[in-house]
Amino acid sequence: MKKIIIYSIFLALLYPEVFAQSGPYALTAIPEAIKAGASVIVNVENIDLKIEGFEKTVLSVHKIFTVLNEEGQHALFFNEYSSKNISLDEAEIKVYDINGKVKERYKKKDMTTRSVGEGLIEDGFVTYYRVTSASYPITVEFNYEQKIKSTLNIPDYRFIHSGEGIVESSYTVKVPAEIGLRYKASNTSITPEITENGNDKIYKWTVKNMAPIEYEEGSEAAGGRYPHVTMAPGNFSHYGFRGDLTSWKNFGFWIKDLYKDLDVLPADRQQFFAQLVKDAPGEKEKIKRIYNYMQQNFRYVSIQLGIGGFKPFSAAFTDQKKYGDCKALSNYMKAALQSVGIKSYVAIINAEYNTAPVDPDFPANEFNHVILCVPGSKDSTWLECTSSTAEFGVLGTFTENKNALLITDEGGALVATPKSYPSANIFSTFTVVNMLDDLSAETETVFTAKGEYNEIMNDLRKEKKDDQKVTFVSYFGFKQPDIFEFSKNEQANNSKLKMSLRSVPEFSAGNKLFISPRIHKMWPGHLPKSGNRKFDFYFRFPFEKYDTTILKLPAGMKPDVLPKEKELKCDYAFYKSRSWFNEAENSIYSAAALTLKQHKIPAADYPKVKKFFDEMIKDDSQKIIVKKEDK
């Protein structure tokens, strides 16, 4: 008997997944199709949303899942938000042993709750706890309940995420007829079972036995491509303010009322702006002067204050304090323009990289940011009011390619923001490499940047020196420097990088030295594998990159072989490189240009783009062969 027990313990240690089968959520009972490629198995998930009135919603979540390996450990992190409007009344975590018995239990009092925000105003709280495990699989249960004093935001049903296999999941919504529920399925055909109970309608969605969806690097952020059901009310109340969300126009009227009388500046400040623009040659210059003034004199803070993040500070308050969040600064800019007779509109938008625009056919509150639009006779001027470095009239990839809801006198109007284009994001480098007899070098690189690259360079100058070095080496693909100095030339509006390199050649063979045509990479890493890609691939933004590198050779060295001229093309990108020798200077010139025409690559075309970048990286890795002359 003793030997059997010892042998059983040995097997449990060696094959823990086998012994995990004895519990109520045995892995052996789950079809292989659900387990294959999964890092998490959702055994049971019940989401219950009860809308009991315009300002009374109760969300209850019960979920039991098994984490199969380290790749799924993110699921072990419990993290829920609460605020004055959202209370987390109950929260419990249970951890099961291999026999399905509870071995650990944590209540809300055992978890960590911290305030979130800028510290100026108490925005809310986050309650979190991380379950740790020395081995896998591990089965965990989450139970929690939130009470929400609002009906504006009805949680979507997102029943599957990357690497998850689903045994069973359900989402039930109970809603009074006077509020109503609207829903739209995306990337799925599931429909709800609908029943009635008095004045309430009950909707229930159920999914069973879903195989995992493989994560594809570079796909749309926030899981927009995964199957889900978007929810929205017909009528709602938020912080006591009733609204109608059945149309963009009506939702815009609701927001317009929240901004009412907040866009007025004191008379002396109106006079200040009149003086600021009195000699401006046109309206565009007036807008630019006021925008530049705001950039130089106001700072952005994240404050979710005022009707749950919708109502801004008054323009007078913002002017006095010299700070504000996105809505406060946009409202202030609107007031300043208004004081000189220029009409503008605040616009709410879903700001995030690589996310789809809000659905024009399904009004819902999917916004998280505010910008400003100044309509023009030909083109509108869009302003990002939270950045002190953004170029005038340039939104950037955070809010380009989206749909913004303009808050006009006639209600909400959904309009497209500008599309991103390559020439808006330019990164140009001009490098001189002075190579010495001992094969070390002193280098100087001048950067000319525009758009997103300009923002990157501005942010980089604020970083500590060690962090700058990491960015130059890992993000831009520069050779590892021994010494470097990074600075900005204010007069020329460019940046300069001086470096000392211990050795310029990559390697040598006899009297021949093998040297890269530039000291950084045109593109620092390979794109993800193509395979049978299902989701579109997103670059962060389209761009144009240019490089000219001059390698000044020491006396006694001459080029033996130069890289051949190369030109690559595909529907989405273009690349060209060439090298030549200037005998009078004893210098080798290398020039390259890379253009990415658009940031979103359809899944079907991704293999072509992957092949293009692989070939470009191969060409970029060619070597100049320099020969030492016999003395």
Side-chain angles (χ1 to χ4, degrees):
M1 184 66 180
K2 185 176 180 181
K3 290 182 178 179
I4 293 174
I5 292 173
I6 293 173
Y7 182 64
S8 298
I9 293 173
F10 171 75
L11 286 177
L13 292 172
L14 191 60
Y15 303 108
E17 68 279 3
V18 174
F19 279 73
Q21 315 312 317
S22 56
Y25 304 106
L27 293 177
T28 51
I30 298 172
E32 286 300 320
I34 297 177
K35 291 186 290 186
S39 56
V40 176
I41 299 293
V42 176
N43 303 292
V44 177
E45 180 181 49
N46 296 312
I47 304 169
D48 189 27
L49 188 76
K50 294 180 181 178
I51 301 175
E52 300 176 359
F54 274 98
E55 296 176 23
K56 189 176 181 182
T57 300
V58 179
L59 174 68
S60 301
V61 176
H62 167 70
K63 183 176 181 179
I64 300 177
F65 57 94
T66 301
V67 176
L68 302 180
N69 48 50
E70 284 189 1
E71 291 182 6
Q73 62 181 325
H74 61 274
L76 298 173
F77 185 56
F78 178 88
N79 182 60
E80 290 299 326
Y81 176 77
S82 59
S83 67
K84 183 175 70 174
N85 206 45
I86 304 172
S87 63
L88 181 65
D89 288 356
E90 298 177 14
E92 182 184 49
I93 299 173
K94 296 177 184 177
V95 182
Y96 292 89
D97 64 16
I98 60 173
N99 297 311
K101 294 182 179 180
V102 177
K103 66 174 183 177
E104 298 172 30
R105 188 190 304 263
Y106 307 98
K107 295 283 191 179
K108 184 183 175 185
K109 62 181 177 62
D110 303 312
M111 304 176 190
T112 300
T113 299
R114 290 183 178 172
S115 60
V116 293
E118 293 283 340
L120 296 171
I121 294 170
E122 197 173 84
D123 293 352
F125 301 90
V126 62
T127 299
Y128 61 93
Y129 190 87
R130 185 180 295 279
V131 177
T132 58
S133 179
S135 61
Y136 298 93
I138 176 175
T139 298
V140 177
E141 178 177 348
F142 285 172
N143 291 292
Y144 63 93
E145 182 178 279
Q146 289 177 320
K147 291 181 179 177
I148 307 166
K149 298 177 182 177
S150 171
T151 40
L152 172 59
N153 299 308
I154 297 178
D156 296 343
Y157 184 29
R158 296 188 175 272
F159 46 86
I160 191 166
H161 301 87
S162 172
E164 286 185 348
I166 310 298
V167 177
E168 183 173 352
S169 174
S170 70
Y171 184 25
T172 304
V173 181
K174 181 180 179 183
V175 57
E178 61 180 339
I179 294 175
L181 178 71
R182 298 180 299 110
Y183 57 89
K184 185 172 184 177
S186 298
N187 309 310
T188 179
S189 59
I190 65 169
T191 57
E193 176 188 342
I194 305 174
T195 57
E196 294 188 10
N197 182 11
N199 191 45
D200 296 329
K201 269 193 174 182
I202 301 169
Y203 302 79
K204 185 174 182 178
W205 289 263
T206 301
V207 295
K208 293 182 179 180
N209 299 327
M210 289 191 67
I213 298 175
E214 183 182 357
Y215 169 72
E216 293 183 351
E217 186 179 346
S219 57
E220 184 179 323
R225 292 284 294 168
Y226 292 109
H228 65 279
V229 181
T230 304
M231 311 278 179
N235 300 296
F236 67 90
S237 178
H238 193 60
Y239 279 73
F241 287 75
R242 293 280 184 99
D244 179 334
L245 195 45
T246 57
S247 71
W248 293 119
K249 181 178 181 178
N250 289 342
F251 190 45
F253 273 129
W254 181 77
I255 295 172
K256 177 178 175 288
D257 286 343
L258 299 180
Y259 280 71
K260 187 176 181 181
D261 298 329
L262 297 176
D263 57 353
V264 180
L265 288 168
D268 63 324
R269 298 301 289 160
Q270 294 185 39
Q271 183 61 32
F272 167 82
F273 285 113
Q275 288 295 314
L276 183 66
V277 303
K278 66 178 182 179
D279 59 345
E283 183 173 283
K284 202 84 166 180
E285 178 62 23
K286 290 180 181 180
I287 301 170
K288 186 175 183 179
R289 288 188 187 185
I290 294 175
Y291 181 70
N292 289 341
Y293 169 80
M294 187 189 68
Q295 283 187 305
Q296 294 165 13
N297 292 278
F298 290 75
R299 66 187 179 94
Y300 166 74
V301 293
S302 177
I303 304 173
Q304 308 309 317
L305 179 72
I307 316 306
F310 285 93
K311 189 171 185 176
F313 292 149
S314 70
F317 180 88
T318 304
D319 183 75
Q320 180 186 10
K321 297 297 183 180
K322 297 295 186 289
Y323 64 71
D325 61 3
C326 61
K327 55 189 175 290
L329 294 174
S330 296
N331 181 62
Y332 178 79
M333 185 69 191
K334 176 177 183 285
L337 292 174
Q338 186 172 273
S339 70
V340 298
I342 298 176
K343 185 77 172 178
S344 64
Y345 302 109
V346 293
I348 57 175
I349 194 167
N350 63 323
E352 191 174 353
Y353 298 110
N354 302 350
T355 54
V358 296
D359 187 345
D361 301 321
F362 190 81
N365 177 38
E366 297 186 356
F367 306 104
N368 61 0
H369 190 50
V370 179
I371 55 179
L372 193 72
C373 178
V374 187
S377 56
K378 294 183 179 180
D379 296 313
S380 296
T381 300
W382 292 88
L383 300 173
E384 172 55 69
C385 297
T386 63
S387 173
S388 62
T389 57
E391 297 173 51
F392 171 72
V394 178
L395 281 183
T397 56
F398 204 50
T399 47
E400 288 177 326
N401 312 301
K402 301 291 178 67
N403 291 324
L405 187 66
L406 294 189
I407 310 306
T408 75
D409 296 336
E410 291 75 38
L414 200 67
V415 299
T417 62
K419 294 187 179 297
S420 56
Y421 53 96
S423 60
N425 306 300
I426 295 177
F427 189 66
S428 178
T429 52
F430 185 91
T431 302
V432 177
V433 180
N434 284 298
M435 186 170 160
L436 306 178
D437 290 335
D438 63 358
L439 307 184
S440 66
E442 298 295 325
T443 76
E444 181 176 285
T445 302
V446 175
F447 302 93
T448 304
K450 182 181 177 183
E452 286 297 311
Y453 284 115
N454 185 54
E455 289 290 290
I456 291 170
M457 300 306 283
N458 285 331
D459 290 340
L460 188 56
R461 280 191 293 270
K462 301 173 187 175
E463 297 290 337
K464 295 179 180 177
K465 197 164 186 175
D466 287 346
D467 294 330
Q468 290 177 341
K469 185 176 181 179
V470 169
T471 300
F472 280 122
V473 174
S474 61
Y475 184 79
F476 292 115
F478 273 81
K479 290 177 70 71
Q480 188 78 238
D482 291 335
I483 303 172
F484 80 97
E485 179 186 339
F486 182 52
S487 60
K488 182 177 182 179
N489 184 340
E490 296 289 350
Q491 288 184 331
N493 194 28
N494 57 32
S495 302
K496 186 179 294 185
L497 174 67
K498 293 183 177 181
M499 300 197 307
S500 295
L501 302 177
R502 186 172 302 174
S503 178
V504 175
E506 301 294 323
F507 56 91
S508 62
N511 67 342
K512 294 182 179 180
L513 306 174
F514 294 77
I515 302 172
S516 295
R518 58 193 57 85
I519 59 171
H520 67 89
K521 302 294 184 183
M522 291 296 289
W523 189 257
H526 287 272
L527 297 184
K529 63 181 182 179
S530 52
N532 185 25
R533 191 174 180 95
K534 297 180 176 64
F535 298 157
D536 297 339
F537 180 85
Y538 287 80
F539 290 88
R540 191 164 180 176
F541 47 82
F543 58 80
E544 294 179 6
K545 296 183 78 173
Y546 304 96
D547 174 74
T548 299
T549 297
I550 303 173
L551 174 62
K552 293 184 173 295
L553 298 173
M557 293 188 189
K558 297 290 181 183
D560 187 47
V561 178
L562 296 179
K564 293 181 180 179
E565 185 171 333
K566 187 77 171 181
E567 184 174 302
L568 300 169
K569 292 181 181 179
C570 74
D571 292 339
Y572 302 95
F574 171 82
Y575 170 77
K576 186 173 184 179
S577 69
R578 69 188 187 100
S579 297
W580 67 97
F581 179 57
N582 185 317
E583 189 170 1
E585 298 177 2
N586 198 33
S587 298
I588 299 171
Y589 284 67
S590 297
L594 170 64
T595 298
L596 178 70
K597 299 177 184 178
Q598 68 181 56
H599 75 297
K600 181 181 177 181
I601 310 299
D605 291 338
Y606 178 73
K608 303 175 188 175
V609 176
K610 163 70 171 169
K611 180 182 178 183
F612 171 91
F613 272 84
D614 284 346
E615 291 179 358
M616 187 274 296
I617 291 170
K618 183 178 179 181
D619 179 73
D620 195 39
S621 65
Q622 285 194 87
K623 298 295 181 283
I624 296 168
I625 302 177
V626 172
K627 187 175 182 180
K628 294 182 182 179
E629 296 178 336
D630 296 330
K631 293 183 179 180

